Amino acid sequence: MSHAELTGQSSAGLKAFRLIANIIWLPLGLVLAVAHLAHAVLMFITIIGIPLGLQDIKLAGISLFPVGKRVVTKELREAARVANAQDQLAAYRQPKGGSSYVSIENGRDARRIGQR
């Protein structure tokens, strides 16, 4: 999960640093990703190795561009995504241009007042 997605914050300076660091890392990351993919293929030969092969595929993706990523639990990832979605929804629902919205109790009807 990206740092910006986890914290809800992002800055141009950090984005530039992450881009430069990931470009510098790319040659080594490419070798590491190919090694993880080759290991995953070998793990898929046995039934017991299939879960390990799946994890190797995930590691191959992370090893390409690791700077700015965080390893978190599934629960924390989902909670961060839900919180970000709620923040975006709240931003969309804020009135623009000085008008305000009045919503009816059942939530199906909303009308704009203030500007004509």
Side-chain angles (χ1 to χ4, degrees), residues 10-98:
S10 182
S11 68
L14 280 176
K15 283 183 181 180
F17 171 75
R18 288 182 190 132
L19 177 66
I20 293 168
N22 279 323
I23 289 172
I24 292 170
W25 173 261
L26 187 61
L28 181 61
L30 193 58
V31 171
L32 194 57
V34 170
H36 276 295
L37 290 175
H39 190 249
V41 169
L42 292 174
M43 290 315 239
F44 283 133
I45 292 173
T46 65
I47 292 174
I48 294 173
I50 291 174
L52 299 173
L54 292 173
Q55 296 306 316
D56 267 329
I57 291 173
K58 290 179 186 177
L59 287 172
I62 292 172
S63 65
L64 281 176
F65 302 108
V67 179
K69 301 287 183 191
R70 299 283 190 268
V71 178
V72 296
T73 63
K74 289 180 182 179
E75 293 83 12
L76 182 58
R77 181 188 69 203
E78 289 303 316
R81 288 186 176 165
V82 166
N84 289 338
Q86 289 174 345
D87 290 344
Q88 287 179 351
L89 183 60
Y92 287 137
R93 288 184 175 174
Q94 288 180 353
K96 294 183 173 115

